[in-house]
């Protein structure tokens, strides 16, 4: 049984306006061991016959038998299998993968044939040596001469080890010496194969041909057996071997790195798209995490970077417990004096020597800031702070005071209680003031810091006034040089004074500060005056008693409980993780910035819809950009993919290879982007703020999204690749180049 047999086979070429005949009613048969020369004028149909025999192109009429089996019913997949197992190709235009080396071109044929992995290299080098290209095995094909390219293609055809070798004008672009070498090689391999050569120069083939076929106007006009050939045993019917995923992965990597310019361009595009989408995605994650949260009424001014911890039994935390919390992987540090952060809703910044004062949203530790977050320096000394750049009036080097808004405040300067030097401005504009480690770990007096205690006590002293039970309020002063007969001695507006002594009278003492409440004391004696008075003097003992009670009121409202510690974390995610990691049966954990509002679920639902639409829309927009660019790049690779198909890569293997290339590029781009973000976050605090909200699961979602897009791009392109036959793609590529 002949390996190939044609019966009245016809091939037509259709265009929009005409139908032309490629060949008509061709009948012939071919056997193993033959060296067949097909000749004829240009347009006679000889290349068409070769393309049909090799499965590069289909036919419309008649029947082509392969081992007696009809092929008219063959699908694209069947023809891919046929070419993969039975046909090796040598073309006039070489159809070599220019971006591959000689070795890689030959190796590829072995890989797609399923040649044993441990023998591939040795076999490839043997074949390269056989065609005389050992010295050029690592040269890119694009750098070879025409003769060298054709010999490399011969080595690749031999690597397939197929029973049929077809050659279309293999010497058409070669000089006479190279032509002789190629023909000699073809003759050498024809002893155990069917070799069919299409040529316009029969003289080059004549010494080797066992048979001559001449065509004219698409028909065979001469079919002559020139010499006997040694009949070979018919090969058993071959089955195409599947290419493993690992092999396809290696080929995909080779395709990526063999074209560095194209790869770099695509990587830059991938990185831009992945970076933009990641920032949009993380911003939506951040928005969902912060949506519907409100500040604690009990512990205001506490940002998401701080949690408050106390023992359930009310006892102070021991040093060992604090050290254990410090060692928690979610914790940046622990501050034992949690109240040093000024947790008061009415806290303001008072810019000295001006009428400007600003509301403070949060107080925090400068430990959460990096150098890149700050314009200026990070605070080190006890009186240094970083202030939000939101307050654009405040500059580095300014001195500010912290102040509480009085109950009745109508503008102007606030009387501050602690002064700080601004050494840096936070670029994130979070309306936050950041204290130094020196300040937050300072010595404590009466449960607040020394400077604050002294300032507040002095301010209370300077603003003290009182009311007797039956009189309006009047200011009180302390004069260390005055000798007083009474605890409080009222002063009349003129020099003549008439005193009416009252004993054991209740007196209300007040200050101008909202954070202190009225102190009511029974005073031993009050020297009243008759008529108008403008103020009074107070004894030191009574003044100290009033100030002590006022400070108790102040401290009780200002401070966080003395047995409570402040735990500093990086973000909400770390805060949530810390809560999960601590023993809730022993400790109470308060997260003041993480309190859900009653409408949170509804708000999250609405935000989820908006976020989903935004991400889908942006995803398709960015995908469209990548697709448009990738389509042009892939179009430039059509020839390479047609060559892959001609060598024996079937639709399934090529689809996997294309998809793998896209996925690998996406993943390389993703890794590079994430590494870039890792370093950029130290310079651009906005990036770090967004990425801080990302969980591991969020990154997994991103990876899956980019994998999906990579697979989608690959499949779409692969579908287009197989819309045309191999020979159509190669012909178009020849015309384009």
């Amino acid at each position: 049984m002949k390996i190939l047999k044609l019966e009245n086979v016809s091939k037509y070429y259709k265009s929009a306006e005409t139908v032309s005949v490629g060949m008509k009613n061709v009948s012939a048969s071919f056997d193993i061991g033959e060296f067949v020369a097909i000749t004829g004028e240009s347009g006679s149909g000889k290349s068409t016959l070769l393309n049909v025999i090799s499965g590069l192109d289909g036919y419309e009429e008649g029947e082509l038998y392969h081992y007696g089996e009809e092929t008219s019913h063959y699908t694209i997949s069947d023809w891919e299998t046929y070419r993969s197992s039975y046909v090796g190709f040598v073309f006039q235009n070489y159809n070599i993968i220019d971006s591959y080396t000689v070795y890689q071109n030959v190796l590829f044929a072995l890989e797609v044939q399923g040649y044993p992995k441990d023998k591939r290299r040795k076999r490839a080098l043997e074949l390269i040596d056989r065609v005389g290209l050992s010295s050029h095995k690592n040269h890119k094909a694009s750098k070879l001469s025409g003769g060298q390219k054709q010999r490399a293609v011969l080595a690749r055809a031999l690597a397939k080890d197929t029973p049929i070798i077809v050659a279309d004008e293999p010497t058409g672009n070669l000089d006479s010496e190279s032509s002789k070498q190629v023909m000699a090689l073809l003759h050498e391999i024809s002893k155990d194969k069917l070799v069919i050569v299409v040529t316009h120069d029969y003289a080059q083939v004549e010494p080797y041909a066992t048979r001559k076929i001449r065509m004219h106007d698409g028909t065979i006009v001469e079919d002559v057996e020139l010499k006997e050939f040694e009949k070979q045993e018919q090969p058993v019917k071959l089955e195409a071997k599947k290419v493993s995923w690992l092999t396809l992965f290696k080929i995909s990597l080779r395709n990526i790195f063999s074209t560095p310019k194209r790869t770099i361009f695509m990587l830059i595009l991938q990185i831009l798209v992945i970076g933009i989408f990641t920032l949009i995605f993380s911003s939506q994650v951040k928005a969902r995490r912060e949506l519907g949260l409100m500040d604690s009424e009990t512990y205001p001014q506490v940002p998401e970077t701080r949690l408050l911890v106390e023992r359930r039994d009310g006892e102070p935390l021991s040093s060992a417990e604090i050290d254990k919390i410090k060692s928690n992987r979610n914790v940046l540090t622990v501050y034992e004096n949690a109240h040093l952060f000024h947790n008061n809703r009415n806290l303001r910044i008072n810019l000295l020597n001006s009428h400007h004062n600003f509301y403070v949203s949060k107080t925090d530790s400068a430990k959460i800031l990096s150098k890149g977050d700050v314009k200026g320096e990070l605070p080190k000394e006890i009186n240094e702070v970083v202030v939000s750049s939101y307050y654009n009036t405040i500059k580095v080097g300014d001195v500010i005071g912290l102040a509480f808004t009085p109950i009745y405040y109508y503008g102007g300067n606030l009387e501050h209680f602690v002064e700080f030097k601004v050494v840096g401005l936070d670029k994130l504009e979070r309306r936050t003031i950041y204290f130094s480690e020196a300040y937050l770990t300072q010595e404590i007096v009466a449960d607040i810091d020394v400077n604050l205690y002294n300032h507040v006590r002095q301010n209370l002293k300077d603003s003290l006034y009182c009311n007797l039970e039956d009189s309006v309020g009047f200011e009180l002063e302390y004069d260390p040089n005055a000798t007083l007969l009474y605890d409080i001695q009222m002063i009349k507006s003129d020099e003549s004074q008439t005193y009416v002594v009252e004993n054991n009278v209740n007196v209300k003492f007040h200050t101008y500060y909202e954070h202190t409440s009225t102190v009511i004391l029974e005073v031993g004696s009050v020297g009243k005056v008759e008529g108008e008075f403008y103020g009074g003097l107070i004894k030191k003992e009574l003044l100290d008693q009033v100030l002590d009670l006022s400070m108790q009121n102040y401290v009780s409202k200002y401070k966080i409980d003395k047995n409570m510690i402040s735990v500093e974390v990086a973000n909400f995610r770390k805060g949530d993780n810390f809560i999960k990691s601590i023993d809730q049966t022993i400790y109470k954990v308060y997260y003041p910035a993480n309190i859900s509002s009653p409408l949170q679920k509804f708000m999250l639902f609405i935000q989820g819809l908006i976020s989903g639409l935004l991400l889908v829309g942006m995803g398709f927009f960015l995908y469209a950009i990548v697709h448009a660019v990738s389509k042009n790049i892939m179009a430039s690779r059509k020839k390479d993919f047609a060559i892959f198909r001609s060598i024996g890569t079937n639709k399934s293997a090529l689809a996997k290879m294309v998809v793998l290339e896209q996925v690998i590029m996406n993943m390389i781009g993703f890794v590079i982007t994430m590494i870039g973000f890792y370093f950029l976050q130290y310079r651009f605090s906005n990036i770090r703020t967004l990425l801080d909200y990302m969980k591991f699961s969020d990154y997994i979602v991103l990876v899956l999204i980019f994998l999906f897009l990579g697979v989608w791009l690959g499949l779409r392109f692969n579908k287009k690749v197989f819309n045309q036959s191999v020979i159509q793609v190669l012909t178009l590529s020849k015309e384009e180049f």
Side-chain angles (χ1 to χ4, degrees):
M1 184 183 297
K2 300 292 180 73
I3 189 171
L4 292 176
K5 182 180 179 182
L6 291 85
E7 287 187 355
N8 299 317
V9 174
S10 299
K11 170 67 182 175
Y12 304 103
Y13 294 105
K14 300 175 183 178
S15 64
E17 299 177 352
T18 61
V19 176
S20 59
V21 177
M23 64 180 190
K24 186 172 180 63
N25 296 327
V26 170
S27 297
S29 59
F30 302 93
D31 208 352
I32 297 294
E34 285 189 283
F35 191 112
V36 182
I38 301 177
T39 66
E41 299 173 353
S42 295
S44 62
K46 55 186 184 298
S47 292
T48 301
L49 174 59
L50 194 71
N51 293 335
V52 170
I53 288 172
S54 63
L56 290 175
D57 214 348
Y59 57 93
E60 281 71 44
E61 294 177 352
E63 190 64 70
L64 168 64
Y65 295 92
H66 176 230
Y67 284 126
E69 179 185 346
E70 295 178 352
T71 62
S72 55
H73 65 279
Y74 271 18
T75 63
I76 289 178
S77 178
D78 293 327
W79 284 117
E80 300 291 342
T81 301
Y82 169 74
R83 287 198 303 271
S84 173
S85 302
Y86 293 96
V87 186
F89 298 88
V90 181
F91 298 96
Q92 177 182 358
N93 293 313
Y94 319 123
N95 289 335
I96 195 168
I97 308 297
D98 288 329
S99 59
Y100 281 12
T101 64
V102 171
Y103 171 75
Q104 289 171 338
N105 268 278
V106 178
L107 180 66
F108 181 82
L110 294 170
E111 289 171 329
V112 297
Q113 286 293 105
Y115 201 83
K117 287 185 287 186
D118 57 338
K119 298 178 181 179
R120 287 175 189 168
R121 177 175 174 79
K122 181 180 178 182
R123 177 61 175 163
L125 294 176
E126 286 175 353
L127 293 170
I128 292 170
D129 183 62
R130 185 174 177 181
V131 298
L133 288 177
S134 293
S135 61
H136 293 74
K137 64 179 183 293
N138 293 322
H139 290 196
K140 283 284 184 75
S142 58
K143 304 298 183 182
L144 301 177
S145 67
Q148 290 169 336
K149 286 183 179 181
Q150 202 63 288
R151 280 185 280 160
V153 170
L154 272 172
R156 188 180 68 191
L158 290 173
K160 287 187 68 177
D161 197 23
T162 54
I164 304 171
I165 299 291
V166 296
D168 188 6
E169 302 282 7
T171 61
N173 294 327
L174 305 181
D175 57 44
S176 58
E177 185 59 32
S178 296
S179 297
K180 290 179 182 178
Q181 293 175 357
V182 169
M183 282 300 174
L185 284 169
L186 284 171
H187 177 252
E188 183 182 343
I189 64 177
S190 68
K191 293 180 175 59
D192 57 354
K193 300 181 186 299
L194 165 62
V195 176
I196 303 176
V197 179
V198 167
T199 181
H200 65 281
D201 187 355
Y202 176 69
Q204 292 180 341
V205 190
E206 188 175 10
Y208 312 109
T210 63
R211 179 180 173 187
K212 177 184 178 184
I213 293 176
R214 185 167 64 87
M215 298 192 69
H216 179 73
D217 288 340
T219 61
I220 294 177
V221 296
E222 181 182 8
D223 187 350
V224 181
E225 188 173 314
L226 302 175
K227 62 179 76 167
E228 290 187 6
F229 61 92
E230 185 177 346
K231 298 217 178 250
Q232 301 291 323
E233 183 179 345
Q234 292 288 343
V236 296
K237 191 168 183 179
L238 305 173
E239 292 185 6
K241 296 180 180 179
K242 289 186 177 181
V243 186
S244 69
W245 277 99
L246 179 60
T247 298
L248 289 173
F249 180 77
K250 291 178 179 178
I251 294 172
S252 300
L253 284 177
R254 184 188 307 147
N255 291 341
I256 290 170
F257 292 110
S258 63
T259 54
K261 291 181 179 179
R262 183 177 67 209
T263 297
I264 290 172
F265 175 77
M266 282 301 299
L267 267 181
I268 292 172
L269 178 64
Q270 296 274 12
I271 289 168
L272 288 173
V273 169
I274 291 171
I276 292 170
F277 189 83
T278 299
L279 290 176
I280 295 172
F281 183 86
S282 59
S283 69
Q284 296 306 303
V285 172
K286 178 179 182 292
R288 285 187 64 81
R289 185 62 187 83
E290 294 181 344
L291 191 66
L293 298 180
M294 58 185 186
D295 283 347
S296 166
E297 292 291 336
T298 308
Y299 304 113
Q301 306 291 91
V302 179
E304 72 274 10
T305 53
R306 284 174 51 216
L307 297 90
L308 306 172
V309 180
E310 66 177 349
R311 288 184 60 90
R312 288 191 176 273
D313 58 13
E315 293 296 318
L317 278 75
S318 66
S319 297
E321 289 176 307
I322 292 174
D323 288 341
K324 185 177 180 181
I325 292 175
K326 285 182 179 179
S327 65
N328 188 298
R329 64 179 182 175
N330 300 293
V331 174
L332 292 176
T333 190
V334 172
Y335 298 104
E336 299 179 42
N337 306 313
H339 41 278
L340 289 175
F341 286 96
H342 304 291
N343 300 277
N344 187 291
R345 289 193 182 281
N346 301 298
L347 185 66
R348 287 180 176 265
I349 295 173
N350 187 22
L351 183 57
L352 301 192
N353 303 318
S354 77
H355 292 284
H356 295 101
N357 60 83
F358 312 94
Y359 167 68
V360 178
S361 176
K362 308 288 182 184
T363 59
D364 209 348
S365 166
K367 195 173 184 71
I368 73 161
L369 300 174
S370 67
K371 189 67 176 67
D373 296 333
V374 177
K375 178 183 178 182
E377 301 293 331
L378 294 171
K380 297 178 182 177
E381 303 300 326
I382 197 168
N383 65 334
E384 294 179 342
V385 291
V386 165
V387 174
S388 172
S389 57
Y390 173 83
Y391 311 114
N392 52 23
T393 307
I394 300 177
K395 308 298 181 186
V396 173
D398 285 345
V399 177
I400 62 170
L402 290 187
F404 290 123
T405 310
I407 298 174
Y408 304 108
Y409 176 69
Y410 300 102
N413 285 337
L414 298 175
E415 190 169 3
H416 58 277
F417 51 79
V418 188
E419 292 183 3
F420 293 96
K421 180 181 179 181
V422 178
V423 295
L425 299 176
D426 173 24
K427 297 176 183 177
L428 285 186
E429 301 186 353
R430 291 173 286 202
R431 287 193 288 180
T432 301
I433 185 168
Y434 302 90
F435 300 108
S436 66
E437 291 292 290
Y439 180 82
L440 295 174
T441 56
Q442 65 180 297
E443 179 188 357
I444 298 302
V445 173
D447 296 324
I448 60 176
D449 64 272
V450 176
N451 288 337
L452 176 59
Y453 187 90
N454 292 336
H455 274 282
V456 171
R457 189 179 179 90
Q458 183 62 46
N459 287 336
L460 292 175
K461 177 182 174 181
D462 293 341
S463 65
L464 189 64
Y465 69 102
C466 70
N467 290 92
L468 300 182
E469 292 177 333
D470 57 352
S471 67
V472 296
F474 57 94
E475 293 183 358
L476 284 175
E477 295 182 2
Y478 166 68
D479 184 354
N481 299 316
T483 301
L484 301 181
L485 298 176
Y486 314 106
D487 292 325
I488 294 176
Q489 183 168 313
M490 300 168 67
I491 303 172
K492 198 173 180 182
S493 57
D494 55 23
E495 294 185 1
S496 60
Q497 300 181 17
T498 302
Y499 289 97
V500 179
V501 179
E502 294 188 11
N503 294 318
N504 301 319
V505 62
N506 287 328
V507 179
K508 295 181 181 179
F509 295 92
H510 310 270
T511 70
Y512 292 110
Y513 290 91
E514 179 185 22
H515 50 265
T516 60
S517 59
T518 300
V519 175
I520 301 177
L521 285 177
E522 186 179 55
V523 177
S525 61
V526 177
K528 293 179 63 176
V529 296
E530 292 183 347
E532 296 183 359
F533 57 90
Y534 68 85
L537 297 175
I538 185 172
K539 279 187 177 182
K540 184 177 186 307
E541 294 79 4
L542 180 58
L543 175 62
D544 288 340
Q545 184 182 4
V546 172
L547 291 179
D548 287 343
L549 290 172
S550 296
M551 285 302 297
Q552 288 179 20
N553 289 334
Y554 170 78
V555 170
S556 66
K557 290 191 175 184
Y558 162 75
K559 71 170 187 173
I560 292 178
D561 187 81
K562 63 182 179 181
N563 292 336
M564 189 175 286
I565 62 171
S566 180
V567 175
E568 194 79 15
V569 296
N571 48 54
F572 272 121
R573 180 166 60 87
K574 294 292 186 181
D576 292 338
N577 291 342
F578 172 74
I579 293 173
K580 294 174 183 177
S581 67
I582 198 168
D583 189 345
Q584 300 283 335
T585 63
I586 299 176
Y587 305 101
K588 286 182 182 179
V589 181
Y590 303 94
Y591 204 168
N594 194 23
I595 298 174
S596 302
S597 71
L599 295 176
Q600 186 184 47
K601 290 185 178 179
F602 175 74
M603 295 166 69
L604 286 173
F605 173 75
I606 298 299
Q607 194 272 344
L609 291 178
I610 297 173
S611 177
L613 291 173
L614 174 64
L615 289 174
V616 170
M618 185 56 65
F620 276 109
F621 173 72
L622 295 174
Y623 167 79
I625 295 174
V626 176
H627 179 261
V629 177
S630 298
K631 184 171 66 174
N632 291 329
I633 291 177
M634 287 297 193
S636 69
R637 299 181 64 195
K638 280 185 178 180
K639 179 183 175 183
D640 286 353
F641 284 108
I643 295 171
F644 290 153
R645 291 172 65 190
S646 72
I647 294 172
T649 310
N650 60 32
K651 184 176 182 179
S652 173
L654 189 58
K656 293 174 184 175
M657 188 169 68
V658 173
V659 167
L660 279 173
E661 283 187 36
Q662 291 296 321
V663 168
I664 291 169
M665 287 290 288
N666 271 347
M667 291 304 97
I668 292 175
F670 181 78
V671 170
I672 293 174
T673 304
M674 293 304 108
I675 293 173
F677 279 149
Y678 176 80
F679 289 103
L680 286 174
Q681 67 178 335
Y682 293 105
R683 182 166 182 82
F684 301 100
S685 49
N686 286 330
I687 292 178
R688 189 177 74 250
T689 300
L690 290 177
L691 297 183
D692 278 346
Y693 284 84
M694 295 285 286
K695 298 180 181 178
F696 179 76
S697 58
D698 295 321
Y699 287 107
I700 294 297
V701 170
L702 279 177
V703 169
L704 292 176
I705 290 172
F706 297 134
L707 281 175
F708 171 76
L709 292 177
V711 171
W712 193 9
L713 277 172
L715 291 177
R716 286 193 65 177
F717 174 74
N718 195 69
K719 183 178 180 180
K720 291 182 179 180
V721 166
F722 284 87
N723 283 338
Q724 296 175 306
S725 69
V726 175
I727 201 62
Q728 284 177 314
V729 176
L730 291 176
T731 301
L732 288 173
S733 299
K734 180 180 177 182
E735 292 173 356
E736 291 172 1
F737 293 98

